[in-house]
Amino acid sequence: PILMQAMAKEIAAVLSKAAPSQSGEFEKNRDALLASLGALDDELQAAIRGCLTNTIVTSHAAFNYLAQRYGLIQLAITGISPDDQPDPATLQQIAADAKAAGVTTVFFEEQLPRELSETVAMEIGARIDLLSALEFDPEEFIGPGQSYLTVMSDNGKRIAAGLQCA
């Protein structure tokens, strides 16, 4: 949410410069979005506090900014590209690291194959759960009324449950 605030400010500035007669509307919308993003950040900070573990195991390395912002360690099964396939030794090491960190939930994404997440989860006796990287239009792939704000709020709840936060 904090990085999204910076983007919102920049977009509003560019739009105001391009259409000065509408700058008041752009600023009003920017301010409303900044408030919503600030509230989301507060919500995520509160949700991801007092957890039994701080390690999230994800299907691919899409959650680095989120992990850094909220003091988490991301253990990704594949790299930046979800098409990457880890070799058996790497998969075994990820499972061992996850088990050592006390991971009880392995996260997968809605539009990607979940087999690798299921494999790691079975190896360590964990469950799997959805975590959206927002790579796709949330309304199209998750459902009507979904947005960055609603999906990230849901992600926070899922992470908090998966990490067994207080």
Side-chain angles (χ1 to χ4, degrees):
I2 298 305
L3 294 176
M4 290 295 285
Q5 285 180 326
M7 287 187 259
K9 290 174 186 175
E10 186 63 28
I11 290 167
V14 169
L15 290 173
S16 292
K17 188 174 180 179
S21 65
Q22 296 179 336
S23 65
E25 189 69 21
F26 296 139
E27 290 171 7
K28 182 179 107 186
N29 291 340
R30 176 207 58 211
D31 292 346
L33 180 57
L34 293 177
S36 295
L37 290 167
L40 175 61
D41 181 56
D42 292 345
E43 176 187 333
L44 292 173
Q45 285 188 56
I48 307 171
R49 182 179 298 147
C51 306
L52 292 182
T53 182
N54 67 343
T55 301
I56 56 171
V57 178
T58 60
S59 54
H60 88 284
F63 300 94
N64 191 45
Y65 291 125
L66 181 125
Q68 286 179 354
R69 172 72 185 155
Y70 301 105
L72 304 174
I73 297 167
Q74 177 184 226
L75 185 56
I77 296 171
T78 65
I80 297 295
S81 170
D83 295 328
D84 293 343
Q85 293 293 313
D87 59 47
T90 301
L91 205 52
Q92 193 126 32
Q93 186 60 55
I94 291 166
D97 292 345
K99 189 168 190 154
V103 169
T104 59
T105 304
V106 176
F107 295 100
F108 68 95
E109 295 168 53
E110 66 274 330
Q111 292 301 313
L112 300 175
R114 58 197 275 179
E115 289 80 12
L116 291 174
S117 295
E118 289 172 338
T119 298
V120 171
M122 282 192 319
E123 181 72 24
I124 66 172
R127 68 183 189 94
I128 62 168
D129 197 6
L130 175 70
L131 198 60
S132 180
L134 288 157
E135 295 178 49
F136 307 98
D137 178 359
E139 283 202 340
E140 182 178 341
F141 289 98
I142 299 173
Q146 297 298 310
S147 68
Y148 173 82
L149 295 167
T150 62
V151 172
M152 286 301 293
S153 176
D154 186 58
N155 278 349
K157 290 172 184 148
R158 290 173 186 273
I159 290 170
L163 301 181
Q164 301 174 37
C165 302

